[in-house]
Amino acid sequence: FRDIFITQDNTKNYEMNSVINMHIKTTDNNIFYTSENSEYNIVEQYTTKTLQMLSDIILNIAHLMRSPLSAIQIFAELLKQDLDDDKQSMIDDILASVYSLDAVLCNLLSFAQPINLCFHQINIIDILEESLSFALLAINHHGILLEKQYAHDKLNGYGDIEKLKQLFLNLILNAIKAMLYGGLLSVKADYDLSYKYINIEIIDNGCGIPKEFMERIFIPFFTTKEGGTGLGLSVVYKIVQAHNGKIQINSIYGKGTTVSIKLPVEINKR
């Protein structure tokens, strides 16, 4: 147990700043302040070490899986060129699974290590289009209609290209998983009225999120989907926060979900 020891000479001017409840023990010459919640400190240290070990394990697994996954993607794309049209759909299924698994690995890596941004001048529309291209096979496979509404040819700002692609791909894949039997996926982007922010909306008319789960959707490892990791939205939240942006999710169970993201046009590092 951790004790705080103070001599009697200093007791008159002593100011207790600790938020931990204290017990006072007295002896002839000294006063002891002993933490009643010192067990909490031990548990906290154990939890911190356990999370660090978990992060190290996740990093090792993710890096080990990345190489064979890239090889599968390359060989599948080469094989697709030599197959008849009626068999190419099988390769499309393989590639869709590869892209989905790669997104999971990216989320694991983002969870296990701090998000460090590399800012560049960007066009949000280009990033949205590239994110959609990765998910296009899954969109077509599930019979989902894609609607895009961009208010301008270019929506320029600053951000980390790879992290923003990860952000949008996570949201698009979530929308697809909510519409496994078809639906409408809408992607909208525009400047706000002040032209200081770019507003992005990703809308689906899928299964929606039950009201009782809404407060927990950004918590790591919380998921209602079979086989889900529960990291997608928590990583999305981290990336938005790192860009000094804002995110809002509105969902009606059984009707669909709207994810609204606001990203600053200029770099505004805190």
Side-chain angles (χ1 to χ4, degrees), residues 21 30 98 114 119 155 181 233 240 244-245:
N21 294 329
N30 302 304
V98 168
F119 281 94
L155 292 169
Y181 303 103
L233 284 179
V240 171
N244 294 329

Side-chain angles (χ1 to χ4, degrees), residues 111-129:
F111 168 77
Q113 56 192 0
I115 291 182
N116 297 313
L117 300 182
C118 183
F119 281 94
H120 298 279
Q121 188 170 19
I122 59 170
N123 176 10
I124 283 291
I125 294 176
D126 288 342
I127 297 175
L128 284 168
E129 285 295 306

Side-chain angles (χ1 to χ4, degrees), residues 6 20-21 70 79 88 112 128 146 167 181 203 227:
I6 301 172
I20 300 175
N21 294 329
S70 297
L79 182 61
Q88 288 188 2
L128 284 168
L146 177 61
L167 183 160
Y181 303 103
I203 307 167

Side-chain angles (χ1 to χ4, degrees), residues 123-255:
N123 176 10
I124 283 291
I125 294 176
D126 288 342
I127 297 175
L128 284 168
E129 285 295 306
E130 189 167 354
S131 302
L132 284 167
S133 70
F134 283 117
L136 195 58
L137 290 172
I139 290 172
N140 294 333
H141 177 76
H142 293 290
I144 295 170
L145 179 64
L146 177 61
E147 176 187 65
K148 295 181 285 188
Q149 296 181 25
Y150 305 140
H152 305 273
D153 292 334
K154 291 184 178 181
L155 292 169
N156 294 324
Y158 283 88
D160 186 301
I161 296 173
E162 294 304 318
K163 292 295 187 293
L164 289 175
K165 281 194 290 188
Q166 182 182 2
L167 183 160
F168 294 136
L169 183 58
N170 274 333
L171 296 177
I172 292 165
L173 291 176
N174 279 351
I176 292 170
K177 291 173 184 175
M179 301 184 291
L180 294 179
Y181 303 103
L184 175 64
L185 172 62
S186 298
V187 180
K188 302 178 181 181
D190 193 3
Y191 290 112
D192 74 341
L193 294 177
S194 69
Y195 279 77
K196 293 182 179 179
Y197 290 89
I198 300 173
N199 295 330
I200 304 103
E201 285 189 333
I202 296 176
I203 307 167
D204 70 70
N205 61 352
C207 60
I209 304 170
K211 186 177 180 180
E212 61 269 25
F213 294 152
M214 288 297 294
E215 292 183 355
R216 303 168 63 189
I217 56 177
F218 292 117
I219 298 174
F221 300 110
F222 173 75
T223 182
T224 59
K225 299 171 184 172
E226 184 177 353
T229 63
L231 288 176
L233 284 179
S234 66
V235 170
V236 163
Y237 182 80
K238 283 178 67 175
I239 295 173
V240 171
Q241 289 293 99
H243 281 82
N244 294 329
K246 298 178 182 178
I247 181 170
Q248 180 178 339
I249 296 181
N250 296 309
S251 188
I252 300 176
Y253 186 59
K255 292 189 176 181

